[in-house]
């Protein structure tokens, strides 16, 4: 007989209350850095070899710790001013954090954290897939791996977290005992992550390029980070850096294997996607598109669909449509 899942959906108004909760996959220390009042909404399910977490938080947090040696976790963390191991994290991009990896997070304002963790049989299966001849499958190595998974697969993992968290929140709100359903949902989320990592080549070594080209790319990224909401003209970047568009193109291709225009557009698409996930209940797709400089809504929808595999309106309906009908007809 399988053990019933541990799950909860709770709200907190202090960091102290949150630190009393345990985490099966990580050890960490939390410190509040912002205002005295803190608002946090946390939903987790711990079942078998999978752990699912969805956290919406506001108030200013600093966190440091490490993933346990027998666990792996996939993380989406984003918010204005948020840093993950010193790197800006203002759009939802998947990071796979290997066993034993130390981390330091800085979240000065509002942010969202979505997670799927693996251990036990699911992690053993990944170990088995990382045998001889599979040297590039390095998900299980210590470190934060940020490439190798397509955006459509990222969206599916986000959906898994949202679906599971919605069940837990609705059950807590209604006082329902949905232990069996929640256990299945958590297991499916863990299986989806394991399947995605198993089918995807581990992230290759980062392409650094020559020193001069690396400096050009780093300077461009700094300009983009200083303008997180609106479009940034490639020509304007070239004017600021004093380089030609051809030079900028070559630098991006050598260092990141993508054109500067494609990189800049994907950055805004991911930012728009993040806003759909966090504010789509009060903002329309049109509002969100225009906030990030997409003035032609048809082109925005097409570009979004090409990246994530579905339209922005479909994502908004999935995230904010709710699950009341699922709970009104229990199995």
């Amino acid at each position: 007989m399988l053990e019933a899942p541990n799950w909860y959906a709770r709200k907190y108004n202090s960091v102290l209350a949150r630190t009393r909760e345990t985490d099966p996959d990580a050890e960490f220390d939390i410190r509040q850095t912002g205002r005295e009042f803190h608002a946090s909404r946390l939903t987790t399910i711990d079942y078998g070899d999978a752990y699912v977490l969805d956290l919406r938080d506001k108030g200013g947090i600093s966190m440091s710790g490490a993933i346990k040696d027998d666990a792996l976790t996939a993380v989406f963390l984003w918010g204005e001013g948020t840093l993950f191991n010193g790197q800006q994290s203002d759009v939802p991009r998947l990071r796979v954090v290997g066993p034993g990896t130390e981390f330091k997070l800085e979240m000065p304002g509002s942010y969202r954290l979505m997670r799927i963790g693996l251990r036990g049989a699911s992690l053993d299966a990944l170990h088995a897939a990382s045998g001889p001849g599979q040297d590039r499958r390095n998900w299980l190595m210590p470190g934060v791996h940020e490439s190798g998974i397509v955006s459509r697969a990222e969206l599916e993992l986000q959906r898994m977290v949202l679906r599971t968290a919605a069940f837990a929140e609705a059950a807590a709100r209604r006082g329902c005992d949905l232990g069996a359903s929640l256990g299945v949902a958590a297991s499916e989320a863990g299986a989806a992550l394991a399947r995605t990592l198993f089918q995807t080549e581990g992230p290759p070594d980062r392409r650094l390029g020559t020193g001069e080209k690396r400096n050009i790319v780093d300077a461009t990224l700094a300009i983009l980070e200083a303008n997180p909401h609106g479009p940034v003209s490639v020509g304007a970047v070239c004017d600021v850096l004093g380089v030609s568009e051809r030079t900028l193109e070559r630098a991006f291709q050598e260092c990141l294997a993508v054109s500067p225009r494609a990189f800049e557009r994907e950055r805004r698409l991911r930012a728009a996607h993040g806003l759909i996930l966090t504010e789509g209940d009060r903002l329309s797709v049109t509002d969100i598109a225009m906030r990030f400089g997409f003035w032609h809504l048809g082109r925005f929808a097409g570009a979004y669909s090409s990246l994530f595999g579905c339209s922005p309106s479909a994502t908004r309906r999935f995230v904010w449509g709710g699950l009341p009908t699922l709970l009104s007809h229990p199995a």
Side-chain angles (χ1 to χ4, degrees):
M1 179 125 181
L2 291 176
E3 182 179 351
N6 282 325
W7 66 274
Y8 51 86
R10 299 180 183 173
K11 296 181 179 179
Y12 304 92
N13 58 15
S14 73
V15 173
L16 179 62
R18 271 186 52 196
T19 58
R20 298 192 184 107
E21 305 294 352
T22 60
D23 189 307
D25 297 337
E27 296 178 350
F28 53 83
D29 176 70
I30 302 177
R31 181 170 57 89
Q32 186 160 335
T33 59
R35 58 190 181 185
E36 182 176 350
F37 177 77
H38 186 81
S40 181
R41 182 177 177 182
L42 176 67
T43 304
T44 68
I45 300 174
D46 178 17
Y47 181 67
D49 53 13
Y51 181 68
V52 178
L53 177 148
D54 183 26
L55 170 63
R56 305 175 202 178
D57 203 14
K58 176 185 290 186
I61 294 295
S62 177
M63 179 185 299
S64 60
I67 302 300
K68 294 179 180 178
D69 291 337
D70 59 350
L72 170 148
T73 190
V75 179
F76 295 94
L77 171 66
W78 73 100
E80 188 172 354
T82 295
L83 299 177
F84 193 117
N85 285 357
Q87 294 185 348
Q88 187 166 334
S89 185
D90 55 0
V91 299
R93 182 185 297 276
L94 181 65
R95 293 177 171 91
V96 179
V97 188
T101 302
E102 296 184 356
F103 58 83
K104 184 175 182 180
L105 313 178
E106 298 289 340
M107 295 82 78
S110 298
Y111 69 93
R112 187 158 187 173
L113 173 65
M114 302 166 67
R115 238 179 77 193
I116 301 176
L118 294 178
R119 56 189 183 276
S122 294
L123 204 59
D124 291 342
L126 283 179
H127 275 290
S130 304
Q134 300 290 344
D135 294 337
R136 292 190 65 205
R137 294 189 188 276
N138 59 357
W139 303 114
L140 294 168
M141 297 294 291
V144 181
H145 312 297
E146 300 186 40
S147 62
I149 296 178
V150 299
S151 299
R152 298 184 185 195
E154 291 185 4
L155 178 59
E156 183 56 33
L157 293 176
Q158 292 168 0
R159 285 178 167 177
M160 285 290 187
V161 174
L162 291 168
R163 184 182 297 119
T164 307
F167 269 121
E169 290 182 5
R173 189 167 57 248
R174 298 190 178 199
C176 300
D177 182 5
L178 297 178
S181 297
L182 290 166
V184 170
S187 295
E188 288 181 347
L193 173 60
R195 184 168 58 251
T196 299
L197 297 182
F198 179 80
Q199 294 174 349
T200 305
E201 288 288 342
D205 294 334
R206 187 182 182 190
R207 302 175 64 173
L208 294 178
T210 63
E212 182 180 2
K213 290 178 180 177
R214 185 71 252 172
N215 290 339
I216 290 174
V217 170
D218 287 343
T220 303
L221 297 183
I223 293 172
L224 295 178
E225 290 171 1
N227 297 271
H229 298 299
V232 177
S233 164
V234 170
V237 171
C238 291
D239 289 342
V240 171
L241 300 183
V243 299
S244 68
E245 290 195 17
R246 187 175 183 180
T247 298
L248 186 65
E249 177 80 23
R250 286 179 173 175
F252 264 75
Q253 290 291 352
E254 180 172 324
C255 297
L256 301 179
V258 68
S259 73
R261 284 187 172 83
F263 183 93
E264 193 275 340
R265 186 178 70 166
E266 181 175 329
R267 174 188 69 96
R268 288 185 289 127
L269 287 170
R270 286 182 174 275
H273 174 69
L275 197 58
I276 291 174
L277 295 182
T278 55
E279 302 287 346
D281 57 334
R282 66 179 188 86
L283 295 176
S284 68
V285 170
T286 299
D287 292 334
I288 292 171
M290 290 187 173
R291 179 169 296 194
F292 293 100
F294 294 102
W295 310 114
H296 192 293
L297 299 182
R299 290 175 185 166
F300 167 68
Y304 183 99
S305 298
S306 294
L307 184 62
F308 293 105
C310 70
S311 69
S313 58
T315 299
R316 184 172 179 267
R317 283 194 302 271
F318 178 87
V319 174
W320 299 106
L323 293 174
T325 56
L326 295 176
L327 292 174
S328 61
H329 300 287

